[in-house]
Amino acid sequence: MARRVLRLLAVTATAAAVVIVAPGPAQAAPTFKVPFPCGQSWSGQTRTNHSPANAIDFNRTDDTGDPVVASAPGTVDRVTDLGNTSYGKYVRINHGSGYTTYYAHLNAFNVSVGQTVGYGSVIGYVGTTGGSTGPHLHYEQRLNGADIQVRFNGALALYWGTKTYTSDNACSGGNTGSGTVNTAGSPLTVRSGPGTGYASVGTVADGATVTIYCQTTGTTVTGTYGTSNIWDRIGTGRFVSDAYVYTGYDGFIPSVPRC
């Protein structure tokens, strides 16, 4: 009888030691944004013979050198140049919880391994390196190393076909630049577009500081800082020639998007 009681106690203790652990909740995906500066529209193509299949190729007219931005906050964990094969120059961002994004065929890099990036951070520039047959951005979202179908703001991208995507990446702020107008005394004419052929919509005083929301190319102008075809958008429908604005850069400001 005593042996039977001992056996029952042992079975009871073993059963008590078995703990059923319920599976934890699935990790939520980051809120991914279109990987281009706020307001830009790009044609994104998906196709069944793509490698990997769920990647998107992004294009727009004259896109070589256009900035590519982080589609969600994270840490850059790969900046690699594969030469004239595969992805060519590409960046990978680790977003945590197993999620990563890939940006391939870049013309140049603007980040380094270990760098923390946020929405709208410029990570590189559109190119045609690697196995590319023309300039475009090859973009992927992955989970635990496996490519997944791309989502922007939680909405599934178009599979299969071509769709125009307009970016709302970092539209709430950041990624602006500033400059100081220098005309040696005269007010600087503000145009409705990036060129001297556009209508005058006002002036900016010599010495004024302006916020630059984006930059683009237009009429070539010779001014205080040499000859330049860069125009700075300082407000909605308000452009000034960069040849008269001191920004600290000889050319485009790296952190400011192209219009």
Side-chain angles (χ1 to χ4, degrees):
M1 182 67 178
R3 285 195 297 272
R4 182 182 177 194
V5 171
L6 288 173
R7 283 197 298 272
L8 288 171
L9 288 172
V11 171
T12 302
T14 302
V18 176
V19 178
I20 300 175
V21 179
Q27 294 291 335
T31 300
F32 291 113
K33 304 283 188 178
V34 174
F36 297 104
C38 173
Q40 290 188 358
S41 293
W42 287 74
S43 175
Q45 181 193 65
T46 57
R47 57 188 187 274
T48 55
N49 64 346
H50 209 168
S51 180
N54 292 317
I56 296 183
D57 279 350
F58 283 103
N59 282 106
R60 73 173 186 171
T61 304
D62 297 328
D63 54 8
T64 300
D66 282 358
V68 176
V69 306
S71 58
T75 301
V76 176
D77 67 0
R78 188 171 294 175
V79 178
T80 304
D81 185 354
L82 297 178
N84 60 1
T85 63
S86 186
Y87 290 173
K89 293 180 179 178
Y90 78 98
V91 170
R92 185 176 74 182
I93 300 175
N94 187 331
H95 304 281
S97 301
Y99 289 92
T100 55
T101 49
Y102 284 67
Y103 311 77
H105 305 313
L106 299 175
N107 182 53
F109 303 121
N110 195 53
V111 289
S112 55
V113 172
Q115 183 174 335
T116 299
V117 293
Y119 287 119
S121 298
V122 177
I123 60 157
Y125 303 91
V126 173
T128 184
T129 58
S132 171
T133 56
H136 69 281
L137 174 69
H138 172 99
Y139 173 80
E140 299 175 24
Q141 293 174 3
R142 295 194 181 197
L143 176 59
N144 298 325
D147 66 295
I148 57 176
Q149 290 194 324
V150 169
R151 292 178 181 272
F152 296 122
N153 295 319
L156 185 66
L158 174 65
Y159 288 91
W160 307 93
T162 301
K163 176 181 176 180
T164 298
Y165 298 86
T166 299
S167 176
D168 67 347
N169 197 324
C171 287
S172 60
N175 300 308
T176 60
S178 64
T180 303
V181 173
N182 184 353
T183 59
S186 301
L188 178 61
T189 301
V190 179
R191 302 285 180 177
S192 62
T196 54
Y198 287 87
S200 171
V201 290
T203 60
V204 178
D206 181 30
T209 299
V210 293
T211 299
I212 301 171
Y213 296 96
C214 63
Q215 295 179 297
T216 188
T217 55
T219 305
T220 298
V221 173
T222 299
T224 308
Y225 299 106
T227 300
S228 176
N229 67 345
I230 297 174
W231 285 73
D232 305 327
R233 184 171 73 80
I234 61 172
T236 302
R238 292 173 59 82
F239 290 81
V240 293
S241 169
D242 193 66
Y244 288 100
V245 182
Y246 178 76
T247 64
Y249 294 92
D250 184 14
F252 288 105
I253 303 172
S255 61
V256 171
R258 302 274 185 94
C259 302

